[in-house]
Amino acid sequence: MNFEKRLKAKNLKVTPQRISILREIESNGHISIEDIYDKIKWIYPSTSLATIYKNVAIMCETDILSEVKTPGMKQKYEINSTKHIHVTCQKCGKLEDLHVDYSMLQESCKNLSGYDINTFSAVFMGLCPSCKDK
């Protein structure tokens, strides 16, 4: 993925820290700000946790990143891609993408509420196969 191009397309300055943040998120899929910081501080020791928060917030505001909110767990971040649903394990915290057709659910919500639905966030919670078998 060409992160430099994505940043420039959103009129954001290309910095080594931003590129590192995006690489960490890409390699982990979903990651908390604290975990990003733990990995990046070894590469850029002068980078603060506040800098990571600020850069992640800016990249969320410009739709480069998405925030995944899961009840009872730390917020995680992912690189914005096609719309999808998440599933998370309540025991180990594993978070995965599910690419399913959600159009019927979206239409049903629109009909019940009267809202024009233009975006969504859904996290299904349960036990992953590994935790379920333990």
Side-chain angles (χ1 to χ4, degrees), residues 84-127:
H84 55 273
I85 293 171
H86 293 96
V87 62
T88 190
C89 180
Q90 292 171 297
K91 190 171 184 180
C92 70
K94 183 179 181 180
L95 180 66
E96 294 184 64
D97 295 341
L98 286 180
H99 296 276
V100 297
D101 182 2
Y102 56 85
S103 59
M104 287 177 45
L105 176 61
Q106 186 173 354
E107 188 64 27
S108 180
C109 290
K110 178 181 176 182
N111 292 337
L112 288 169
S113 69
Y115 281 62
D116 285 337
I117 310 284
N118 54 25
T119 190
F120 71 92
S121 175
V123 178
F124 290 90
M125 300 175 73
L127 292 176

